[in-house]
Amino acid sequence: MNYTLNQLQIFLKIVETKSITKAAELLFLSQPAVSIQLKNLQNQFEIPLTEIIGRQLYVTPFGEEIADASRRIITEVDAMKHKTMVYKGFLAGQLNIAIVSTGKYVMPYFLSGFLQQHEGIDLKMDVTNRFKVLKSIEQNEVDFALVSVMPDNLQVENIPLMLNKLYLVGNVKRAERFLKDGSIDMANLPLIYREKGSATRRSMENFLSKHHIDVTKKMQLTSNEAVKQAVIAGLGFSVMPLIGIKSELLNNELKIIPINGLPVTTFWNLIWLKGKKFTPAAKAYLDYLKTQKEDLISQNFQWHEDYEL
């Protein structure tokens, strides 16, 4: 057997997502690169690890057993690495964080300096929807989670990080046409929604309900990035977090439309289960945030804090 740790890690991501395409996106690799690594791993076994039925990838029972073995191997390798770092006098371990999809524009900036200070700490960050984020917290699968709306049914503690501002956004040409007309009736706009369970969708629906706006033209997409690209293409308008559209505003691809009652403001919160016993890595990270949070906001997000129409 000549399999590599890289092959095992890629295979585990395929098992998790049941998709080569999704695995490639999460691993920041090309689809052909993931396919090649899966093929190279498969070539070392006479029994199939996966199979394609229709257009869906399925993991075989044998593949599931190899996935279980792969998890144990990678866990042991990580443990050896961490033990080595500890013996050398460094803080080591794994930091597990789950974040909602729009949190990818926020969380890396609150992690970078800490991980540079502690090279023995590995990061595992799951970027997913709000439902899965809260489930991972509830089941104690992660140290922390980043959310923009606090959960109603979980006993958690939190540290507030920064404001989250949501504006009505449109394709520049379509937005300017509406602005030129002098009045905007959101009820008549084709509005693009996030999927159910999304905090962004929840904030958008709360705003529409509060202002008695009955939308007649609706579309639904399953990620903030998909919504953004659809708005850029002119498919419709959406209420979106300012934090995720900085480049598009600067490049004149998107335009914020002034509406009474907007922006909706929430707060990005890092949360954890009440009474959770932290690992040394998690405790060190929480201490880092408490002392460095304001400087990190000033260095990376002052434009967002100061932004006004």
Side-chain angles (χ1 to χ4, degrees), residues 20 28 31 37 43 53 87 114 135 138 145 170 174 176 182 196 247 254 274 292 304:
I20 290 174
F28 301 101
Q31 185 174 333
Q37 292 303 319
N43 287 341
I53 300 177
Y87 269 91
F114 175 76
K135 191 174 183 65
E138 183 179 13
R174 294 195 75 181
E176 288 179 346
K196 290 183 178 180
S247 296
L254 292 176
K274 190 172 184 178
Q292 300 299 317
H304 181 273

Side-chain angles (χ1 to χ4, degrees), residues 105-106 108-113 162 243 246 288 292-305:
Y105 303 111
V106 175
Y109 295 93
F110 288 95
L111 285 164
S112 178
M162 57 179 285
I243 196 71
K246 180 182 180 181
Y288 169 83
Q292 300 299 317
K293 181 184 73 170
E294 297 303 327
D295 286 343
L296 292 171
I297 292 172
S298 177
Q299 292 166 17
N300 299 295
F301 298 109
Q302 201 59 53
W303 70 272
H304 181 273
E305 300 293 293

Side-chain angles (χ1 to χ4, degrees), residues 167-175 189-194 204 219 221 223-241 245 248-249 252-257:
Y167 290 89
L168 179 65
V169 179
N171 164 288
V172 169
K173 291 182 179 179
R174 294 195 75 181
L189 294 180
L191 287 184
I192 303 175
Y193 288 69
R194 284 285 306 277
M204 181 173 171
M219 286 173 269
L221 298 175
S223 75
N224 191 71
E225 195 63 31
V227 171
K228 181 165 65 176
Q229 294 305 319
V231 175
I232 290 172
L235 285 179
F237 299 77
S238 191
V239 174
M240 301 185 67
I245 58 173
E248 289 74 21
L249 291 174
N252 207 34
E253 295 176 296
L254 292 176
K255 189 174 185 66
I256 291 176
I257 303 170

Side-chain angles (χ1 to χ4, degrees), residues 96-155:
N96 297 298
I97 301 177
I99 68 173
V100 293
S101 59
T102 48
K104 64 179 176 286
Y105 303 111
V106 175
M107 201 68 222
Y109 295 93
F110 288 95
L111 285 164
S112 178
F114 175 76
L115 294 176
Q116 289 176 36
Q117 288 179 16
H118 303 287
E119 296 182 2
I121 294 179
D122 294 328
L123 172 67
K124 181 180 178 183
M125 187 166 72
D126 187 22
V127 183
T128 184
N129 60 46
R130 184 173 185 269
F131 174 79
K132 291 182 179 178
V133 166
L134 295 183
K135 191 174 183 65
S136 65
I137 278 285
E138 183 179 13
Q139 296 181 349
N140 201 27
E141 296 172 345
V142 295
D143 300 307
F144 303 106
L146 182 70
V147 296
S148 59
V149 177
M150 292 290 288
D152 300 322
N153 58 344
L154 291 178
Q155 294 290 316

Side-chain angles (χ1 to χ4, degrees), residues 11 30 42 48 55 67 91 99 117 135 143 182 203 275 281 293 306:
F11 178 59
S30 68
Q42 175 64 76
R55 300 181 65 181
L91 183 64
I99 68 173
Q117 288 179 16
K135 191 174 183 65
D143 300 307
S203 295
K293 181 184 73 170
D306 296 340

